[in-house]
């Protein structure tokens, strides 16, 4: 039913259509239906030659948008169509797999599909950009050497821009991601602003810009970018997950719960999402649910979960803290524990010295895990240590704050 669909997608209206073929002509009938009560808000038909199906779709999208805002707006990158319809089909299937990147084999399959799309239509820029996006993610998801993967991503972006100059501004998101990992915060933000403000937009730009802002402690602006992305891509799994995570960091439990629900309905599961959900559930007092989420997140990253139950036993009863720390130390010694997870768990167990020791590894070249967890309220005891601001300076974050007109005041980033 329309009402149920609207609730699942969290949208006020749904666009429905039917395509008819009459000889060499196509007719595309469509209607915009309000999900609250099923009322048709508008309906019309566009028609044209069979070989211009993409142009008809774009005409329809333009007419619907004008119904809402009365003027043309940014074009989504996915609306850019290659001449070869098979190339476009490969691209769209690859995008779906990229959106569910945590599932086993999806990244590898997406690489093959984007490469096929390029081979079928070497002038189709979005396929180059999508392939570049996968390469910048491979160090985080597959442990590939970061310098090699990012160099390949930039090479693909440059090839894509040469083949299709229309993607140039959207491609700035890849440069932004690389700058972020290099801890060149100002350069990353400038690139993301260009990508998200382009006439041709791309969903990952909003996700990555949100992550970059969170990594320098600007949770409020991080949320703004996540929500801005959802306005254009409401069914994006990664953006719904991102917004859920930022609401968690901001301690807005109700909104976090709502977006975790949406992300789950869209098939999000595993990795960073589940670990953030575990923190959300810990704050709500649901230790059993948090333990299950942590198990999923750790297993998704290929790590050992032997330490998870003892840690949650310690969170439930502080008398178990010593045993939990011993098991945690053993897991860390075997290098089977993600440093970001380890630092957070040590903070939760009250081991501030250990958490600070792990956090210092962020300065190592090529380190791929994020700094945004350092600004969680659970880290307050670490903020009170002079070593915290020293670490911020070493990471270049203090300099970024100064350039952006921000300050670290009362244990929070204040950008006035």
């Amino acid at each position: 039913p329309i009402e149920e669909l609207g609730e699942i997608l969290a949208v006020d209206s749904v666009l429905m259509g039917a395509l008819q073929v009459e000889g060499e002509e196509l007719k595309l009938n469509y209607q915009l239906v309000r999900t609250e009560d099923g009322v048709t808000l508008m309906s019309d038909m566009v028609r044209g030659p069979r070989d211009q199906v993409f142009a008809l779709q774009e005409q329809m999208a333009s007419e619907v948008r004008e119904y809402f805002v009365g003027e043309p707006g940014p074009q989504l990158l996915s609306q850019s169509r290659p001449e070869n319809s098979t190339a476009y089909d490969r691209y769209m299937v690859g995008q779906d797999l990229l959106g569910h990147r945590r599932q086993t084999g999806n990244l590898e399959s997406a690489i093959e599909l984007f490469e096929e799309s390029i081979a079928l239509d070497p002038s189709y820029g979005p396929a180059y950009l999508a392939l570049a996006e996968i390469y910048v993610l491979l160090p985080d998801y597959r442990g590939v050497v970061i310098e090699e993967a990012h160099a390949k991503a930039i090479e693909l972006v440059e090839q894509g821009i040469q083949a299709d100059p229309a993607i140039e501004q959207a491609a700035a998101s890849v440069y932004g991601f690389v700058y972020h990992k290099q801890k060149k915060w100002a350069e990353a933000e400038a690139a993301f602003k260009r990508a998200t403000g382009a006439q041709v937009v791309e969903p990952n730009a909003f996700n990555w810009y949100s992550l970059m802002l969170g990594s320098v402690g600007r949770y409020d602006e991080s949320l703004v970018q996540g929500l801005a992305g959802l306005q254009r891509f409401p069914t994006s799994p990664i953006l719904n997950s991102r917004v859920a995570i930022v609401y968690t960091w901001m301690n807005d439990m109700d909104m976090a719960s709502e977006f975790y629900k949406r992300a789950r309905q869209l098939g999000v599961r595993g990795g960073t999402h589940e670990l953030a959900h575990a923190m959300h559930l810990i704050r709500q007092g649901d230790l059993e649910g948090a333990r299950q989420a942590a198990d999923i997140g750790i297993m998704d990253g290929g790590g050992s979960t032997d330490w998870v139950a003892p840690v949650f036993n310690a969170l439930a009863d502080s008398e178990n803290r010593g045993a939990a720390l011993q098991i945690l130390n053993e897991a860390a010694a075997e290098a089977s524990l993600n440093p970001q997870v380890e630092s957070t768990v040590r903070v939760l167990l009250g081991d501030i010295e250990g958490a600070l020791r792990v956090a210092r590894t962020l300065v190592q070249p090529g380190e791929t895990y994020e700094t945004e967890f350092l600004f969680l309220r659970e880290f307050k005891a670490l903020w009170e240590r002079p070593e915290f601001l020293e670490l911020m300076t070493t990471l270049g974050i203090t300099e970024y704050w100064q350039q952006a007109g921000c300050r670290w005041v009362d244990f929070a980033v204040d950008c006035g």
Side-chain angles (χ1 to χ4, degrees), residues 217-232:
R218 299 184 66 183
Y219 290 161
D220 52 350
E221 291 300 318
S222 176
L223 178 62
V224 167
Q225 292 304 319
L227 292 174
L230 279 181
Q231 287 184 338
R232 294 169 171 83

Side-chain angles (χ1 to χ4, degrees), residues 170-287:
S173 62
V174 172
Y175 290 97
F177 189 94
V178 172
Y179 287 141
H180 174 181
K181 291 299 185 178
Q182 294 173 344
K183 303 179 179 65
K184 297 178 180 179
W185 309 107
E187 291 91 334
E189 182 166 24
F192 286 133
K193 283 183 176 180
R194 186 181 181 205
T196 56
Q199 184 62 25
V200 178
V201 296
E202 201 278 330
N204 254 333
F206 296 96
N207 175 47
W208 289 345
Y209 190 9
S210 174
L211 181 58
M212 175 261 147
L213 290 165
S215 296
V216 293
R218 299 184 66 183
Y219 290 161
D220 52 350
E221 291 300 318
S222 176
L223 178 62
V224 167
Q225 292 304 319
L227 292 174
L230 279 181
Q231 287 184 338
R232 294 169 171 83
F233 306 93
T235 60
S236 165
I238 195 67
L239 283 172
N240 277 278
S241 171
R242 178 62 196 165
V243 169
I245 291 171
V246 181
Y247 273 127
T248 299
W249 296 168
M250 298 177 71
N251 204 37
D252 188 332
M253 294 295 99
D254 290 341
M255 292 303 294
S257 295
E258 172 62 25
F259 277 91
Y260 281 121
K261 176 183 176 181
R262 296 184 189 186
R264 183 169 60 251
Q265 291 170 335
L266 290 167
V268 178
R269 182 180 175 87
T272 302
H273 177 84
E274 293 294 343
L275 293 171
H277 192 206
M279 178 62 76
H280 171 71
L281 295 172
I282 288 173
R283 290 178 177 176
Q284 291 187 314
D286 183 2
L287 292 183

Side-chain angles (χ1 to χ4, degrees), residues 83-356:
E83 294 182 2
N84 186 302
S85 61
T86 304
Y88 182 66
D89 177 69
R90 298 291 189 273
Y91 169 78
M92 291 303 293
V93 175
Q95 282 287 11
D96 182 66
L97 294 176
L98 182 56
H100 296 86
R101 65 193 66 163
R102 286 285 180 182
Q103 296 180 17
T104 303
N106 275 11
L107 277 181
E108 288 75 13
S109 296
I111 288 174
E112 293 180 4
L113 288 164
F114 292 139
E115 288 177 341
E116 288 180 24
S117 180
I118 292 170
L120 289 166
D121 190 340
S123 66
Y124 187 48
Y128 291 89
L129 181 52
L131 190 55
E133 289 175 353
I134 292 182
Y135 273 94
V136 298
L137 293 171
L138 287 179
D140 295 297
Y141 286 81
R142 297 293 184 267
V144 175
V145 176
I146 189 169
E147 292 82 4
E148 295 178 2
H150 287 185
K152 177 64 174 178
I154 297 300
E155 177 186 343
L156 285 164
V157 163
E158 292 175 349
Q159 291 175 356
I161 292 172
Q162 184 174 4
D164 183 0
I167 72 165
E168 183 173 3
Q169 286 185 299
S173 62
V174 172
Y175 290 97
F177 189 94
V178 172
Y179 287 141
H180 174 181
K181 291 299 185 178
Q182 294 173 344
K183 303 179 179 65
K184 297 178 180 179
W185 309 107
E187 291 91 334
E189 182 166 24
F192 286 133
K193 283 183 176 180
R194 186 181 181 205
T196 56
Q199 184 62 25
V200 178
V201 296
E202 201 278 330
N204 254 333
F206 296 96
N207 175 47
W208 289 345
Y209 190 9
S210 174
L211 181 58
M212 175 261 147
L213 290 165
S215 296
V216 293
R218 299 184 66 183
Y219 290 161
D220 52 350
E221 291 300 318
S222 176
L223 178 62
V224 167
Q225 292 304 319
L227 292 174
L230 279 181
Q231 287 184 338
R232 294 169 171 83
F233 306 93
T235 60
S236 165
I238 195 67
L239 283 172
N240 277 278
S241 171
R242 178 62 196 165
V243 169
I245 291 171
V246 181
Y247 273 127
T248 299
W249 296 168
M250 298 177 71
N251 204 37
D252 188 332
M253 294 295 99
D254 290 341
M255 292 303 294
S257 295
E258 172 62 25
F259 277 91
Y260 281 121
K261 176 183 176 181
R262 296 184 189 186
R264 183 169 60 251
Q265 291 170 335
L266 290 167
V268 178
R269 182 180 175 87
T272 302
H273 177 84
E274 293 294 343
L275 293 171
H277 192 206
M279 178 62 76
H280 171 71
L281 295 172
I282 288 173
R283 290 178 177 176
Q284 291 187 314
D286 183 2
L287 292 183
E288 177 56 26
R291 184 195 63 76
Q292 294 177 12
D295 268 336
I296 294 171
I298 297 300
M299 287 189 292
D300 181 77
S304 169
T305 60
D306 293 344
W307 57 271
V308 175
V311 164
F312 278 90
N313 290 337
L315 294 179
D317 184 347
S318 60
E319 291 187 1
N320 297 319
R321 177 177 175 274
L325 283 173
Q326 180 177 348
I327 293 176
L328 194 68
N329 290 336
E330 292 172 357
E334 295 172 358
S336 62
L337 192 58
N338 177 287
Q340 179 173 328
V341 174
E342 180 185 356
S343 184
T344 304
V345 171
R346 289 188 183 279
V347 163
L348 293 174
L349 295 175
D351 180 16
I352 305 305
E353 289 293 338
L356 184 59

